[in-house]
Amino acid sequence: MKQKLIAALVTSAIAGLAAPTANAGVIQATYKIFAAEIFGDSSLSLKAPVISYNLSRPVSGSSTNPNTFKIALTLSGGKWDAAAIANARAVLRDPSSANALPNTVAGAVLSNDDKTVTFTFVADQDGTTYPVNSTITFGDFSAAAPASASAVPAGAAPALFTLAVDSVLKTPLDAACAPEQASISVTAKMTNASDVEVDTNDPGAIITTPVLASNVALNITASSSASFGPAVTDNEVSKIDVLTTGLGKIFTSTASIPSTQAADDVTVALKKTINLGKITIKDRASLYDTDGLAKYTMAGTFGVDAVGNVSGDKLNVVIGGKFVKNGSVYLSTSAACAGEASDFAGATPSATLNSALDAATFSTTINDADWLAAASSTRSAYVCYTVPGDQVVPTSQFKLVSGSLTKLGSSKELANPVCPANMYNLVSNGVQLDVRNYIQKAQTDATGWVSVLRIINTDESQTVDVNAQLIKDDGTLLNAGKIVTLAPRAFKYMTAAEIEALLPETVAASGNNARLRLTAAGSSLRVQNYHLNPVTGAVNEVSAAQGDDGPDYARKADGDNK
């Protein structure tokens, strides 16, 4: 088990009584930032860091006229440990004078909720004045009270309070893909013999400081195989081969691809596997583990329950998209997706496809030695997709939808969420056409204008399935769905409402209208686009505002576009 105490040193301070000065009291703490992932243990206790408060007023008293005041430290979260507080001492001292005798008090009072600890000082040393910027140090001096000021080192305390933490330090994981630091702070309050606040209520006084902080240590997300780089040959550029050799059932070859060309239309070999992208687990920040000394990092041994390591257990990931029946999705350490059986020998590298064939789910335990280790603080794996070669493959924008990295139960570490990201956008080498002045159904509801598309299969011999997908104003491609099957030379009128009812993803109306992309596994497709106002009867043909990106057989230099 990981040890439960986090070393970090405590010094604390507060005090003062006398005429106010131009100075303001200041509380400070040298605290550490811990990994939010370690706070799965509700009984975890940490030690508070160095805390100090500089007085803004001088303090003095005499045996005949003692000066009594109290110092209280209140936590914003967590609790002080009662056993540790029983041995605690507070030491008022003048750090500028080695000869001034420190004023040491015991008998701290702990509040019923264990959040506030209070010390009472009595200044009754004749002729001794603790000047402005004197400090109070809090610690466990139970072995022996310090005999002089030099026995209490400046900037450090001999022993510390124990702080039992609460759930606030795990909250950064609630928004792990855009986390914000969480903290537990301490607030100082000083009161005189009449229980009236002094010093800490002066204008400009800084009386609150963090004593413990946390943030997310790991980042888990995916990248598209289309942008591996730096060379173009490092990237996946395969398309669904819908021409004579492929008939939409295999992928185009990616051998020897110049940087200015897309994949060849003619299949050199039957290509049934493509790389969809890479899932990567890496350090997001350098944060402390439970001992306050070692870092919680992927640079350690993955999957081991010990301080300084990530005790990763299962990688649970959902890859969204449109998959072919009897296809397979699996993890590999090879960018070329070689060796499904040999990779991840200690794991189950294959995903499970759902019945709708729009999600592939991994739940995989991976040994540390099986990961692709691109750097000491990184573990990654490629996501590969193999098709059977006997069925038409749908186009799709693949995405890492969701997931988590769970940890070994013995470690009590919290799971890390997986951050969504786009992966490979699989298109065909057939026809791609963008309707750039498409009116969404949501915009129709707002404006009354309707998009009516006349979709025409101008291929003389091939029946085609026409797929559609929306393109958001920020360029995000939503998943495609089949909207119509057209025989050679056939056409069909469709409204935006009819089209969007058949799409797996749509987008709400916004100030910037989404575009519509149509694709078909054929050699030619045309669309006539009409804007209709049913109320006024107005009709505008706006077919010119579209792009035809079908294959060009005559000019190979143009690749698949014209």
Side-chain angles (χ1 to χ4, degrees), residues 49-67:
V50 176
I51 308 168
S52 65
Y53 181 84
N54 288 24
L55 298 174
S56 67
R57 304 161 181 255
V59 173
S60 62
S62 67
S63 57
T64 58
N65 187 24
N67 184 358

Side-chain angles (χ1 to χ4, degrees), residues 223 228 275 277-282 298 302 315 331-338 343-345 347 366-384:
S223 56
F228 284 165
N275 188 322
K278 183 165 63 175
I279 298 174
T280 300
I281 308 172
K282 63 181 179 180
M298 291 295 293
F302 183 83
L315 178 65
L331 300 177
S332 175
T333 57
S334 166
C337 291
D343 281 355
F344 300 100
I366 304 175
N367 296 328
D368 195 35
D370 293 330
W371 286 101
L372 175 67
S376 61
S377 59
T378 299
R379 303 292 189 280
S380 58
Y382 295 106
V383 179
C384 302

Side-chain angles (χ1 to χ4, degrees), residues 255-270:
S256 304
I257 303 169
S259 60
T260 56
Q261 282 188 235
D264 295 340
D265 284 344
V266 179
T267 306
V268 176
L270 293 180

Side-chain angles (χ1 to χ4, degrees), residues 323-385:
F323 298 95
V324 69
K325 186 178 180 181
N326 297 325
S328 65
V329 183
Y330 60 93
L331 300 177
S332 175
T333 57
S334 166
C337 291
E340 177 182 0
S342 59
D343 281 355
F344 300 100
T348 304
S350 297
T352 300
L353 293 175
N354 66 353
S355 59
L357 297 177
D358 60 5
T361 301
F362 290 98
S363 183
T364 305
T365 301
I366 304 175
N367 296 328
D368 195 35
D370 293 330
W371 286 101
L372 175 67
S376 61
S377 59
T378 299
R379 303 292 189 280
S380 58
Y382 295 106
V383 179
C384 302
Y385 175 36

